[in-house]
Amino acid sequence: MRNLGRVPLALLDALAAGLGLGYLARDYRDALVSHGPVVSVAAVVGIAVIVVAFRGYRVLRSANTRLEAIIADELSRRKPSPRPRRR
């Protein structure tokens, strides 16, 4: 089931973050304008780090799922009895 309360809360968080960043940008406008290229490169590097971390997490999660499937398959196989069965 979808939880409808999460969407408005996420929008409220995004609004608060945007207002906070807007306030900081207004206060530090001179520093942002004079160091624009540095801020741009830092933003690109930050986004790249986030993307690489997310991709790494997805790869590790899928590898873990495959490993669990292999282990479950190996454990589910019944080993033959060492003694022959009587009929």
Side-chain angles (χ1 to χ4, degrees), residues 3-83:
N3 190 352
L4 297 177
R6 289 184 181 177
V7 174
L9 184 59
L11 291 175
L12 183 63
D13 287 345
L15 177 65
L19 289 173
L21 287 174
Y23 175 77
L24 289 174
R26 184 179 58 90
D27 279 354
Y28 296 104
R29 180 179 17 186
D30 295 334
L32 289 173
V33 170
S34 64
H35 296 47
V38 174
V39 172
S40 299
V41 169
V44 169
V45 168
I47 291 171
V49 166
I50 291 170
V51 168
V52 167
F54 180 71
R55 296 269 172 106
Y57 170 75
R58 286 182 58 194
V59 166
L60 289 175
R61 188 177 64 185
S62 69
N64 186 36
T65 303
R66 281 185 265 149
L67 184 63
E68 286 178 355
I70 291 170
I71 291 172
D73 184 46
E74 290 292 327
L75 291 178
S76 69
R77 294 182 186 169
R78 300 184 87 184
K79 294 182 180 180
S81 176
R83 288 184 249 152

